[in-house]
Amino acid sequence: MRITEYYIILGKEDFLNDHATTIQAVLCNIVGEVSPRGTAYVGLVLEALLRLFPSEGGKLLDSCGITDKFLEACAQNYFVIDSCDPDRVIVIYMTALARISLANPTFLQNKLPITLQAGSFGHSQLVDLFVKRFQVAGNGAHGLLFESLWGMLLLSFYPPSHTMTLTNSVLEKANEIFGAFVYLLKN
């Protein structure tokens, strides 16, 4: 995964244009199938891809169903399903979703809700998960970056938003969101 990360960083547009399908195939086979430690390395590839190509990278991940895997894993974590990924994996997925959503504000409109046996995971539950995992996102070497991305995403849902559902969800959690920003600013 480190080699793929470096190729994305060094090869830039040429590498992405020449090897987009290979990147898709590798990530499709790996996302959700590796240990939490392995997911940390996948996260480096996701970060490189979405940092350098916010719009194109998001489309690449979405076109092969990786974003659906992210959202399903988030839903399972939200409902604490026994086989769900741990919080540190969910933070990686949620950070990728935040980057994609910031580059394409309408991205989440057609993706939610997801129906599981445990319940429906919609916009309100996603906002709630971002608020609940905000402190977890702050752990680690990239914590401040992750918290900042999440904060920008949550602020992007405030009016005028493309979806009133997301705006209402954020308004319901306003105290917790602003508390998280105060915490972020203190650190």
Side-chain angles (χ1 to χ4, degrees):
M1 294 281 51
R2 295 302 300 252
I3 293 171
T4 305
E5 174 195 12
Y6 294 139
Y7 270 118
I8 291 170
I9 292 169
L10 296 174
K12 299 193 179 359
E13 294 89 8
D14 292 336
F15 180 76
L16 185 65
N17 291 335
D18 292 343
H19 300 286
T21 54
T22 304
I23 294 170
Q24 280 180 326
V26 168
L27 290 174
C28 280
N29 289 324
I30 291 176
V31 169
E33 303 298 328
V34 295
S35 69
R37 184 174 179 177
T39 302
Y41 290 106
V42 172
L44 296 173
V45 173
L46 295 171
E47 275 295 302
L49 180 65
L50 295 172
R51 190 179 53 221
L52 293 172
F53 311 103
S55 184
E56 301 87 353
K59 289 175 186 172
L60 183 136
L61 295 174
D62 191 39
S63 68
C64 65
I66 293 174
T67 56
D68 295 330
K69 288 183 180 183
F70 291 163
L71 287 166
E72 187 170 332
C74 289
Q76 290 176 353
N77 183 274
Y78 180 82
F79 290 113
V80 194
I81 294 174
D82 289 337
S83 62
C84 73
D85 289 316
D87 289 348
R88 64 184 178 165
V89 169
I90 297 304
V91 164
I92 293 167
Y93 295 166
M94 291 173 66
T95 302
L97 290 170
R99 282 196 180 275
I100 294 167
S101 297
L102 286 169
N104 179 5
T106 60
F107 167 72
L108 291 172
Q109 280 183 341
N110 298 326
K111 293 289 181 183
L112 297 173
I114 296 171
T115 304
L116 302 175
Q117 275 188 312
S120 180
F121 183 79
H123 296 99
S124 181
Q125 290 76 20
L126 182 64
V127 169
D128 191 33
L129 192 62
F130 271 106
V131 172
K132 287 180 178 179
R133 300 297 180 264
F134 193 84
Q135 300 292 339
V136 177
N139 297 332
H142 299 93
L144 186 59
L145 171 67
F146 288 2
E147 287 177 334
S148 299
L149 282 169
W150 290 22
M152 287 189 297
L153 177 68
L154 292 170
L155 284 177
S156 75
F157 294 150
Y158 275 97
S161 177
H162 298 288
T163 62
M164 281 309 291
T165 308
L166 284 170
T167 301
N168 292 338
S169 300
V170 171
L171 290 174
E172 290 171 6
K173 295 289 182 187
N175 287 339
E176 292 94 343
I177 291 169
F178 288 117
F181 274 111
V182 169
Y183 170 80
L184 183 60
L185 292 173
K186 283 182 183 178
N187 296 321

